[in-house]
Amino acid sequence: GGHAEPLFIIDGMRITLQPGEGLNWLDPADILQIDVLKDPAETSIYGAGGANGVIVIRTKRGPLPQR
């Protein structure tokens, strides 16, 4: 397909969006942080799926940090 969708990682989980699908189900009040990764060195850890950029979203009810 000719879609250049970025890869979404929400609380450490890879989220696959259908073309045109938004994040309307995600409550903006739950969002702690959004990082936009565009540098190939940053996106390469996500494989080919990160070629169009990676949007990393952390929510308030996300996973606990690793100790």
Side-chain angles (χ1 to χ4, degrees), residues 8-50:
F8 286 87
I9 305 290
I10 301 178
D11 293 332
M13 292 184 54
R14 188 179 291 237
I15 304 297
T16 303
L17 295 179
Q18 300 306 315
E21 180 183 7
L23 293 174
N24 295 337
W25 49 268
L26 184 61
D27 185 346
D30 287 340
I31 296 174
L32 273 180
Q33 181 177 345
I34 298 177
D35 292 307
V36 179
L37 309 181
K38 294 182 281 189
D39 184 85
E42 292 177 314
T43 62
S44 65
I45 63 169
Y46 296 102

